[in-house]
Amino acid sequence: MSLQTLVAEPWSDYALLDSGDARKLERYGRYRFIRPEPQAMWPPHAPDWDADAEFLPASDEEGGGRWQFANDIPPDGWPLAWQDVRFQAQCTPFRHLAFFPDMAPHWAWMRERIAPGSEALNLFGYTGVGSLALAAKGAAVTHVDASKKSVEAARANAVLSGLADKPIRWLVDDAAKFAAREVRRGRRYDGIVLDPPKFGRGPAKELWQLETGLPGLIADCAKLLDTESRFLVLTVYAVRMSALAIGELLAQATAHLGGEVELGEMAVREEARGLLLPTAIFARWSRRK
Ligand SMILES: C[S@@+](CC[C@H](N)C(=O)[O-])C[C@H]1O[C@@H](n2cnc3c(N)ncnc32)[C@H](O)[C@@H]1O
């Protein structure tokens, strides 16, 4: 298994403009934001950054902090696009902007592999950009997230994208429980994408912990694929876990299906110098027809 770097290039509504000194400057449509970025260990390209808002991390608590606004930003968000998918960006208390731009290469890769009428499953689907990218290609999508608010945001994004009438099942459910239930029902999918957090709770407070939950969930996902299926995409953020480890996990779980497993790091290209800022790790299985 060889490591790859999957690079998100800037597009009209998103760019990593500059990075350095443990911060990054990004453009989301017409607004610019500064956010903490511990991996940007180099000096920035430009000495001064002009931004509409900055996320100031709390000093006492990991993950906490608040936005400081230099200019007015619509509090309910503003519309952005990735290819034919439209969605709302918003400043969230979790320091991100309500979607993950580094997922774009996976969205494009899945779209190359999904055929109209295929069945796709998006676990931990959040605000639904991945689900909509697949639905726009004619797939029937099952979107699962524990948060009612996230599912509502995803549905609103479907309306914004003109995809409200597409066959998308929007489910507020625990991802692991749902996958296990689908296995018992004998269901199958053509493609599965999952972006599990390190820690989470299902709607009935079911505990999700990546290190302990992932092997069982991947085993269930593999049971939901068959010899006609095309892909399984797994992404993992901000944990002490190697791409090799999740690659091996996927390779073993999908061994009976044939096909191939790729793995590596995900990164966003900085516009100023072309350097790569790492964001996450991934492993993905696929089979050509
Ligand atoms: C934001 S995405 C993942 C992002 C990325 N992996 C990260 O951690 O930065 C996480 C999504 O998983 C959902 N989630 C958390 N625990 C869950 C569970 N047990 N079942 C289903 N969805 C869950 C959250 O509601 C959220 O929308």
Side-chain angles (χ1 to χ4, degrees):
M1 284 196 282
S2 61
L3 285 160
Q4 296 181 18
T5 308
L6 199 62
V7 180
E9 304 289 349
W11 77 88
S12 54
D13 271 355
Y14 173 77
L16 170 65
L17 298 168
D18 201 347
S19 61
D21 290 347
R23 300 191 307 163
K24 59 186 169 189
L25 174 68
E26 297 165 291
R27 180 174 54 74
Y28 288 81
R30 52 190 287 239
Y31 301 109
R32 291 165 161 235
F33 299 95
I34 299 172
R35 298 192 290 152
E37 181 48 77
Q39 297 203 87
M41 292 179 283
W42 41 83
H45 177 65
D48 292 312
W49 291 350
D50 188 19
D52 296 287
E54 177 167 5
F55 190 89
L56 303 173
S59 52
D60 49 340
E61 181 197 336
E62 204 191 319
R66 65 183 176 86
W67 288 98
Q68 185 177 62
F69 294 97
N71 297 314
D72 285 342
I73 308 262
D76 296 331
W78 62 100
L80 295 184
W82 175 79
Q83 298 192 3
D84 50 358
V85 179
R86 290 174 65 77
F87 52 93
Q88 227 25 30
Q90 196 174 5
C91 295
T92 76
F94 313 107
R95 72 173 66 179
H96 57 71
L97 280 292
F99 78 103
F100 295 97
D102 57 320
M103 287 295 288
H106 286 306
W107 300 332
W109 184 88
M110 291 191 294
R111 275 156 69 112
E112 284 166 15
R113 284 161 182 78
I114 202 87
S118 305
E119 294 267 348
L121 174 62
N122 186 1
L123 296 172
F124 308 94
Y126 193 42
T127 51
V129 185
S131 296
L132 299 175
L134 294 169
K137 282 282 173 194
V141 181
T142 301
H143 173 106
V144 181
D145 197 284
S147 155
K148 194 163 169 255
K149 226 174 129 188
S150 291
V151 171
E152 277 166 9
R155 293 184 87 126
N157 285 336
V159 173
L160 202 59
S161 299
L163 297 170
D165 60 341
K166 295 293 174 198
I168 308 175
R169 289 200 291 162
W170 301 108
L171 303 178
V172 177
D173 207 340
D174 179 68
K177 259 183 157 174
F178 177 78
R181 214 180 306 127
E182 290 288 82
V183 170
R184 287 198 296 276
R185 289 174 183 139
R187 290 262 305 162
R188 67 162 299 278
Y189 289 91
D190 295 288
I192 301 179
V193 52
L194 65 162
D195 182 17
K198 180 174 165 52
F199 175 86
R201 291 275 182 189
K205 300 278 169 264
E206 300 94 335
L207 178 65
W208 166 257
Q209 270 179 311
L210 189 80
E211 286 85 351
T212 50
L214 195 59
L217 180 54
I218 291 298
D220 279 345
C221 287
K223 288 180 196 151
L224 295 175
L225 299 170
D226 63 20
T227 48
E228 293 297 302
S229 303
R230 302 295 304 283
F231 64 80
L232 170 55
V233 176
L234 166 66
T235 50
V236 174
Y237 288 72
V239 284
R240 290 194 50 184
M241 196 175 274
S242 154
L244 286 168
I246 61 170
E248 282 295 355
L249 178 68
L250 222 59
Q252 291 186 17
T254 57
H256 63 292
L257 296 168
E260 58 167 342
V261 170
E262 304 163 71
L263 57 108
E265 297 211 23
M266 290 158 65
V268 178
R269 189 180 307 283
E270 186 205 90
E271 221 170 41
R273 292 164 289 187
L275 63 76
L276 298 183
L277 183 68
T279 58
I281 56 172
F282 77 95
R284 62 191 185 189
W285 166 85
S286 64
R287 189 192 21 242
R288 299 245 167 232
K289 274 248 150 77

